[in-house]
Amino acid sequence: QVQLVESGGGLVQAGGSLRLSCTASGRTFGTDAMGWIRQAPGKEREFVAAISWSGDNTRYTDSVKGRFTISRDNARNTVYLQMNSLKPEDTAVYYCAAGPYWMTPQRADYWGQGTQVTVSS
């Protein structure tokens, strides 16, 4: 069993930055790909970013490319999402997930409880 705990969400003005963190516990962290998936009000969950277990490979949804950066520190069992140039449409609950590198909202093995990100215009 893997437990994922997110932190770092909050309220920020458009153009601002936030860094989300997700700390894993329960079993070996370094063998799973990790990712972030978000859900905006009234919308379905959407893939945001993923990083391979080694950290060598990353992928992003098109709408965040060039603005968001995913990284991981396996020594700290933590994955990060640095979000820059935030837009109101980035407002959502952000969930940390563990599972396959090609994870989707339907294909993730473990989930965190979510952290709210609100971007004001």
Side-chain angles (χ1 to χ4, degrees):
Q1 191 73 12
V2 174
Q3 292 81 42
L4 305 174
V5 179
E6 303 100 332
S7 61
L11 173 64
V12 64
Q13 289 189 333
S17 298
L18 283 174
R19 188 176 81 155
L20 306 183
S21 300
C22 171
T23 300
S25 62
R27 67 175 177 87
T28 304
F29 174 74
T31 59
D32 292 302
M34 301 293 296
W36 292 91
I37 289 168
R38 67 186 179 186
Q39 186 167 23
K43 295 187 176 181
E44 295 185 351
R45 289 190 180 186
E46 172 193 32
F47 168 81
V48 177
I51 187 166
S52 62
W53 69 270
S54 67
D56 290 340
N57 297 294
T58 59
R59 64 185 188 99
Y60 301 89
T61 191
D62 286 346
S63 63
V64 309
K65 285 180 181 177
R67 301 188 297 122
F68 291 11
T69 303
I70 189 170
S71 61
R72 67 190 294 164
D73 183 343
N74 287 348
R76 290 182 165 82
N77 287 355
T78 300
V79 62
Y80 305 96
L81 186 67
Q82 178 66 44
M83 304 186 294
N84 299 328
S85 302
L86 282 161
K87 304 176 181 179
E89 51 264 43
D90 294 317
T91 295
V93 177
Y94 283 70
Y95 297 91
C96 177
Y101 178 68
W102 296 102
M103 67 176 63
T104 68
Q106 295 76 36
R107 289 187 62 212
D109 297 326
Y110 301 98
W111 294 85
Q113 82 287 352
T115 186
Q116 177 70 47
V117 171
T118 303
V119 185
S120 63
S121 57

